[in-house]
Amino acid sequence: MSTNPEVQRGIKMIPLPKMAMTLRLSEKEQRALKKRAERDGVSMQDAARRAIREYLDNSEHTTRVIDAAKQIMKVHAEAIEQLVD
């Protein structure tokens, strides 16, 4: 029996390949990133990766909110029009 708790629960973790990329920052952006990373006790790379994840999460949330608002407008268009009048 495996000692790995993920395998014990029947979940096999498959590592995804990492992708290298070059991130070009202005001097001001680089200084700010370095300062923030130092404050957080992480590398600049980890700080940038965290920022990217937060951006993606926030973008996804915004998309879901907009889609929900559109659906509400569509479903309740008649009632909304009556409220406007």
Side-chain angles (χ1 to χ4, degrees), residues 15-62:
L16 297 175
K18 294 184 179 183
M19 181 186 85
M21 66 179 289
T22 301
L23 179 63
R24 290 179 177 80
L25 301 172
S26 68
E27 288 183 28
K28 182 178 179 180
E29 291 167 335
Q30 185 175 354
R31 284 192 307 271
L33 178 60
K34 183 177 181 181
K35 188 175 181 179
R36 180 79 262 163
E38 287 172 352
R39 284 184 182 167
D40 291 348
V42 299
S43 68
M44 289 174 56
Q45 177 178 327
D46 284 343
R49 290 177 62 224
R50 181 186 304 166
I52 291 167
R53 285 190 304 271
E54 288 176 9
Y55 168 77
L56 294 171
D57 289 345
N58 290 339
S59 296
E60 182 60 31
H61 174 75
T62 300

